[in-house]
Amino acid sequence: MEKRRIACFLAAICAAALLCACAPQKAEETFLAMDTVMSVTVYGENAQEAASACRAETERLEALLSVTDEQSAVYAINHAEGQPTETDGELARLLSRVLELCGRTEGALDVTIYPAVRAWGFTDGEYRVPSEAELAELLTRVDYSAVSVRDGTVTLPAGAELDLGSTAKGYAGDRLAELLSGMGIESAILDLGHNIQLIGTKPDGSSWVIAVQSPFGGDYAGTLSVSSCAVVTSGGYERFFTDENGCVHHHIIDPATGHSADSGIASATIIGKSGLVCDALSTAVYVMGAERAAELWRASDDFEMVLILSDGSLAVTEGIAPAFTPADENAEITVVTR
Ligand code: ADP
Ligand code: MG
């Protein structure tokens, strides 16, 4: 009897040891950065070290790119009053890429939108509705094409200010993916606040399943089965206030009007290899509206999209349609084709 119990005990220990040997190491880090809650989950050897490195790298990027931190390189550029600023090489390269994306979206993305964003109170939470005259004056300072980046020197016209809020998290996703792959990590999911960056597949080799949030509250709108890519969503429901007349104003500004974008899109989810491109385009597509976004998609080969329109219908580009499952099987879905 005693022998049988010892045998069972040993068998249980062996089974547990075997399970530990098979299951990959997993580490999670949750932290506040770039004005949002971020959470990284990393699998594999050195998982904990890798997760901690993600946090440190994100904090480094925040210190470089923050628009409010008086020590940041962006702050220095914004306060140069028209004078050239010799800046950090990484920031200069990022800014060049962002300016390209502003051009590609015909200014729907405008990295100089900051004066308008601040006037509405989205920077400090002191919300207000600027007058049309004030907005018109502010818009004279919003023009990405007036930004010059040359040999690591950035020059803005006096009164112009950069805002990398629409792209910093996506860029961080790319940097973290690179950092993790350099550490030999083949499986990780980085949730950088509505910016998901996926490294490889789940540890068992299957695709990750990412929920696309419903912009109308309640349950999610659908799921995406994807791997090794970024999934970035922009929506007016993320940061907004209601004014005394009951009008809702949110944090994505149409550079053409200075007001919250009102293009008929409730949320724009962009899927692609680059977190930076997806983040930039999620903001831009939200401003552009479904038709212009479809034209941009037809002229491009680096992203797919899931748009939830204000009337609740969905538009999904053909490259991602097979990977998308709507939560409501009766949902009205248009597949956008080339
Ligand atoms: P979130 O940061 O909430 O995930 P986005 O990536 O869409 O959402 O970025 C929105 C932020 O980008 C705003 O808070 C503001 O700082 C900035 N922004 C707003 N409108 C524009 C625009 N048209 N072009 C570039 N940046 C914008
Ligand atoms: Mg964005």
Side-chain angles (χ1 to χ4, degrees):
M1 190 61 188
E2 192 55 23
K3 266 188 187 165
R4 248 179 74 193
R5 269 168 69 184
I6 291 173
C8 283
F9 181 63
L10 287 176
I13 290 185
C14 288
L18 212 68
L19 262 178
C20 286
C22 295
Q25 284 180 37
K26 173 182 176 184
E28 282 180 75
E29 283 266 345
T30 300
F31 50 97
L32 268 175
M34 300 185 175
D35 225 9
T36 190
V37 180
M38 300 190 168
S39 159
V40 302
T41 308
V42 182
Y43 297 88
E45 262 180 59
N46 308 326
Q48 186 52 57
E49 194 191 332
S52 303
C54 284
R55 177 183 187 152
E57 176 67 355
T58 309
E59 286 166 354
R60 182 187 73 81
L61 290 170
E62 178 173 27
L64 181 70
L65 305 176
S66 166
V67 72
T68 48
D69 177 353
E70 297 183 9
Q71 306 301 320
S72 84
V74 167
Y75 191 93
I77 293 170
N78 284 352
H79 291 80
E81 295 175 1
Q83 296 305 307
T85 310
E86 212 174 298
T87 196
D88 177 88
E90 182 181 11
L91 173 57
R93 285 190 297 279
L94 170 61
L95 192 52
S96 297
R97 291 182 64 197
V98 170
L99 288 169
E100 250 176 64
L101 286 155
C102 293
R104 207 177 138 189
T105 61
E106 298 173 315
L109 182 79
D110 195 315
V111 70
T112 61
I113 196 74
Y114 192 57
V117 171
R118 185 180 42 212
W120 286 95
F122 289 112
T123 307
D124 56 11
E126 303 279 319
Y127 299 129
R128 58 188 278 273
V129 180
S131 70
E132 286 308 314
E134 183 181 352
L135 285 177
E137 189 281 318
L138 293 172
L139 287 186
T140 63
R141 306 198 230 151
V142 174
D143 178 9
Y144 71 90
S145 69
V147 178
S148 139
V149 186
R150 232 170 258 134
D151 302 327
T153 297
V154 178
T155 315
L156 304 184
E161 288 169 281
L162 302 175
D163 175 0
L164 287 159
S166 61
T167 44
K169 287 181 279 172
Y171 176 66
D174 289 339
R175 297 297 312 159
L176 299 189
E178 239 172 80
L179 182 136
L180 291 176
S181 99
M183 294 180 85
I185 298 294
E186 293 174 353
S187 176
I189 175 165
L190 316 178
D191 179 349
L192 311 178
H194 302 291
N195 282 236
I196 308 288
Q197 190 89 32
L198 302 171
I199 285 74
T201 60
K202 287 203 272 191
D204 67 4
S206 62
S207 298
W208 304 96
V209 180
I210 306 299
V212 176
Q213 204 182 322
S214 166
F216 311 115
D219 250 352
Y220 58 93
T223 56
L224 284 161
S225 285
V226 283
S227 50
S228 302
C229 66
V231 180
V232 181
T233 299
S234 284
Y237 58 90
E238 280 169 30
R239 195 167 297 189
F240 63 89
F241 69 96
T242 307
D243 70 19
E244 56 196 31
N245 300 317
C247 291
V248 174
H249 306 280
H250 60 71
H251 72 317
I252 303 179
I253 306 292
D254 183 344
T257 64
H259 286 266
S260 299
D262 181 18
S263 69
I265 293 181
S267 85
T269 296
I270 309 289
I271 305 98
K273 290 291 169 207
S274 160
L276 172 64
V277 169
C278 291
D279 199 3
L281 295 185
S282 71
T283 307
V285 158
Y286 186 85
V287 172
M288 294 167 96
E291 272 178 36
R292 279 178 70 200
E295 286 311 311
L296 177 66
W297 171 76
R298 289 191 185 98
S300 309
D301 63 2
D302 57 353
F303 75 97
E304 300 290 335
M305 57 190 183
V306 174
L307 306 180
I308 303 178
L309 307 183
S310 309
D311 66 3
S313 65
L314 291 102
V316 182
T317 52
E318 62 184 352
I320 201 69
F324 179 71
T325 309
D328 170 6
E329 58 187 31
N330 298 316
E332 188 192 322
I333 303 183
T334 305
V335 176
V336 183
T337 56
R338 295 264 172 213

Tab-separated table of all heavy atoms in Angstrom, residues 37-41 189-197:
chain	number	residue	atom	x	y	z
A	37	VAL	N	-2.685	52.729	-20.397
A	37	VAL	CA	-2.208	51.511	-19.722
A	37	VAL	C	-1.673	50.572	-20.794
A	37	VAL	O	-2.347	50.308	-21.786
A	37	VAL	CB	-3.352	50.815	-18.962
A	37	VAL	CG1	-2.836	49.550	-18.270
A	37	VAL	CG2	-3.980	51.753	-17.965
A	38	MET	N	-0.476	50.093	-20.592
A	38	MET	CA	0.119	49.162	-21.550
A	38	MET	C	0.353	47.831	-20.852
A	38	MET	O	0.587	47.789	-19.647
A	38	MET	CB	1.438	49.695	-22.072
A	38	MET	CG	1.300	51.022	-22.782
A	38	MET	SD	2.823	51.457	-23.605
A	38	MET	CE	2.258	52.830	-24.611
A	39	SER	N	0.306	46.770	-21.645
A	39	SER	CA	0.530	45.463	-21.061
A	39	SER	C	1.249	44.586	-22.080
A	39	SER	O	0.804	44.467	-23.221
A	39	SER	CB	-0.846	44.913	-20.686
A	39	SER	OG	-0.785	43.540	-20.570
A	40	VAL	N	2.374	44.037	-21.683
A	40	VAL	CA	3.105	43.174	-22.616
A	40	VAL	C	3.161	41.764	-22.038
A	40	VAL	O	3.370	41.587	-20.843
A	40	VAL	CB	4.537	43.693	-22.912
A	40	VAL	CG1	4.504	45.094	-23.469
A	40	VAL	CG2	5.421	43.675	-21.680
A	41	THR	N	2.941	40.776	-22.896
A	41	THR	CA	3.004	39.374	-22.492
A	41	THR	C	3.996	38.678	-23.415
A	41	THR	O	3.817	38.691	-24.639
A	41	THR	CB	1.610	38.719	-22.611
A	41	THR	OG1	0.674	39.523	-21.902
A	41	THR	CG2	1.622	37.308	-22.043
A	189	ILE	N	2.656	39.238	-27.199
A	189	ILE	CA	1.554	40.138	-27.558
A	189	ILE	C	1.725	41.413	-26.730
A	189	ILE	O	1.819	41.362	-25.515
A	189	ILE	CB	0.170	39.463	-27.371
A	189	ILE	CG1	-0.954	40.462	-27.631
A	189	ILE	CG2	0.006	38.829	-25.991
A	189	ILE	CD1	-2.310	39.803	-27.832
A	190	LEU	N	1.811	42.525	-27.458
A	190	LEU	CA	2.034	43.811	-26.806
A	190	LEU	C	0.767	44.634	-26.975
A	190	LEU	O	0.351	44.910	-28.104
A	190	LEU	CB	3.212	44.551	-27.466
A	190	LEU	CG	4.469	43.712	-27.767
A	190	LEU	CD1	5.521	44.570	-28.474
A	190	LEU	CD2	5.029	43.122	-26.488
A	191	ASP	N	0.153	44.998	-25.864
A	191	ASP	CA	-1.046	45.829	-25.923
A	191	ASP	C	-0.646	47.222	-25.450
A	191	ASP	O	-0.508	47.470	-24.254
A	191	ASP	CB	-2.128	45.219	-25.015
A	191	ASP	CG	-3.395	46.065	-25.023
A	191	ASP	OD1	-3.358	47.203	-25.542
A	191	ASP	OD2	-4.417	45.595	-24.504
A	192	LEU	N	-0.428	48.103	-26.423
A	192	LEU	CA	0.059	49.437	-26.094
A	192	LEU	C	-1.097	50.440	-26.150
A	192	LEU	O	-0.998	51.484	-26.781
A	192	LEU	CB	1.205	49.818	-27.050
A	192	LEU	CG	2.314	48.767	-27.213
A	192	LEU	CD1	3.369	49.215	-28.214
A	192	LEU	CD2	2.966	48.438	-25.875
A	193	GLY	N	-2.230	50.096	-25.578
A	193	GLY	CA	-3.377	51.002	-25.533
A	193	GLY	C	-3.996	51.198	-26.903
A	193	GLY	O	-3.723	52.189	-27.566
A	194	HIS	N	-4.842	50.269	-27.323
A	194	HIS	CA	-5.476	50.273	-28.656
A	194	HIS	C	-4.481	50.074	-29.792
A	194	HIS	O	-4.840	50.151	-30.958
A	194	HIS	CB	-6.304	51.535	-28.921
A	194	HIS	CG	-7.379	51.727	-27.909
A	194	HIS	ND1	-8.464	50.898	-27.837
A	194	HIS	CD2	-7.516	52.630	-26.919
A	194	HIS	CE1	-9.224	51.299	-26.834
A	194	HIS	NE2	-8.662	52.332	-26.259
A	195	ASN	N	-3.245	49.882	-29.468
A	195	ASN	CA	-2.223	49.507	-30.456
A	195	ASN	C	-1.748	48.121	-30.061
A	195	ASN	O	-1.087	47.971	-29.039
A	195	ASN	CB	-1.004	50.436	-30.405
A	195	ASN	CG	-1.224	51.760	-31.082
A	195	ASN	OD1	-0.492	52.151	-31.978
A	195	ASN	ND2	-2.238	52.476	-30.659
A	196	ILE	N	-2.091	47.125	-30.846
A	196	ILE	CA	-1.626	45.768	-30.553
A	196	ILE	C	-0.476	45.443	-31.507
A	196	ILE	O	-0.589	45.670	-32.715
A	196	ILE	CB	-2.759	44.721	-30.786
A	196	ILE	CG1	-4.032	45.107	-30.030
A	196	ILE	CG2	-2.278	43.322	-30.421
A	196	ILE	CD1	-3.980	44.941	-28.555
A	197	GLN	N	0.613	44.949	-30.954
A	197	GLN	CA	1.725	44.500	-31.799
A	197	GLN	C	1.940	43.032	-31.472
A	197	GLN	O	2.144	42.667	-30.316
A	197	GLN	CB	2.980	45.328	-31.490
A	197	GLN	CG	4.116	45.098	-32.470
A	197	GLN	CD	4.076	46.028	-33.683
A	197	GLN	OE1	3.627	47.167	-33.574
A	197	GLN	NE2	4.518	45.545	-34.832
